[in-house]
Amino acid sequence: MPLKRYEIKSYAKGTVHKNSHIYFSKDKHYYSVPYNHIGKRIKIIYSDSLVEIFHKLERLAAHPRERKKYAYTTIKEHMPSHHRFISEWSSEKFIAWAGHIGENCKEYIIKILDKKQHPEQSYKSCLGVLHLTKKVGNVRLDNACKRAMDYGAYNYNIIERILKNGWDALDENIEQEIDMPNHGNIRGGHYYK
């Protein structure tokens, strides 16, 4: 008898992204591929326990299958940051771009880049945040980044939610005194002692 039970294999197609990962849509998970294959169309062969990535007939990578959504499985040797390789996306480029929008935006992008073990994993999130300036302008995006940092949340989705709900325009520094009307049915703190 074989030591391992037989696993059915299935197939999918994809492209190696500029962050040196492929997106496996079935599990919504990212797997690394050697950086010199960026831009290539690949074939994914997967089973319940393994994900293999092929270009033509060459196996580029094999990873244990993970099912955590929007997470990354990365082999550090696959990443261009460990080599003298410069792509059109870089941490410095995103930080400089954010600096033109505002100081809060710049600080926010730095926090996103620092959050991941490999900066290339953050590039998509940074790009999404910075492209929001086309919709809402620099001031609103900078304010949204400040609000998100107050929440301690560093991703594209929180910025989008803040902008959609108009929370970037809220001013928490203004303290409003609420005048309580004088009613007979309003009980003060002394009532509950």
Side-chain angles (χ1 to χ4, degrees):
M1 295 292 279
L3 297 175
K4 256 176 89 177
R5 70 179 186 88
Y6 178 76
E7 291 185 355
I8 296 173
K9 294 192 175 190
S10 300
Y11 302 88
K13 291 185 178 192
T15 303
V16 182
H17 297 287
K18 290 179 182 175
N19 66 359
S20 197
H21 286 74
I22 57 108
Y23 177 66
F24 182 48
S25 60
K26 185 153 181 72
D27 296 336
K28 295 185 167 118
H29 192 85
Y30 294 90
Y31 294 95
S32 69
V33 175
Y35 71 89
N36 53 332
H37 297 286
I38 289 172
K40 291 183 180 173
R41 298 279 301 152
I42 49 90
K43 185 176 191 177
I44 304 165
I45 300 176
Y46 62 95
S47 65
D48 284 339
S49 62
L50 186 67
V51 173
E52 297 175 287
I53 301 142
F54 289 85
H55 179 260
K56 299 188 178 171
L57 298 174
E58 178 189 2
R59 185 167 104 165
L60 306 178
H63 299 277
R65 187 165 175 191
E66 299 287 339
R67 288 176 171 79
K68 187 176 179 189
K69 290 183 178 181
Y70 306 110
Y72 287 83
T73 299
T74 305
I75 297 172
K76 69 178 184 173
E77 289 78 19
H78 290 172
M79 303 308 294
S81 57
H82 293 352
H83 303 276
R84 289 196 168 96
F85 173 80
I86 300 171
S87 91
E88 69 181 71
W89 288 0
S90 69
S91 299
E92 294 77 21
K93 180 177 178 174
F94 288 121
I95 293 167
W97 183 358
H100 292 297
I101 293 168
E103 279 305 308
N104 293 317
C105 188
K106 181 179 177 179
E107 189 179 337
Y108 192 75
I109 292 298
I110 291 169
K111 297 263 189 195
I112 290 175
L113 290 166
D114 288 345
K115 202 171 83 167
K116 299 284 187 187
Q117 183 181 1
H118 303 286
E120 292 85 356
Q121 296 172 340
S122 317
Y123 290 174
K124 238 179 148 169
S125 187
C126 291
L127 197 62
V129 169
L130 294 170
H131 272 264
L132 287 171
T133 194
K134 291 178 183 173
K135 285 185 184 176
V136 299
N138 291 357
V139 174
R140 282 197 68 198
L141 182 58
D142 198 51
N143 289 340
C145 289
K146 182 182 184 314
R147 170 87 44 188
M149 285 189 292
D150 291 343
Y151 297 154
Y154 301 100
N155 59 53
Y156 170 81
N157 292 335
I158 191 70
I159 296 289
E160 187 180 44
R161 192 173 318 131
I162 288 169
L163 291 168
K164 181 179 175 188
N165 294 318
W167 298 338
D168 59 297
L170 296 177
D171 190 2
E172 292 180 354
N173 296 332
I174 299 173
E175 293 183 17
Q176 295 178 351
E177 289 291 325
I178 300 173
D179 292 327
M180 295 297 287
N182 195 4
H183 284 267
N185 65 345
I186 294 180
R187 304 176 195 130
H190 63 281
Y191 178 83
Y192 296 99
K193 292 183 180 176

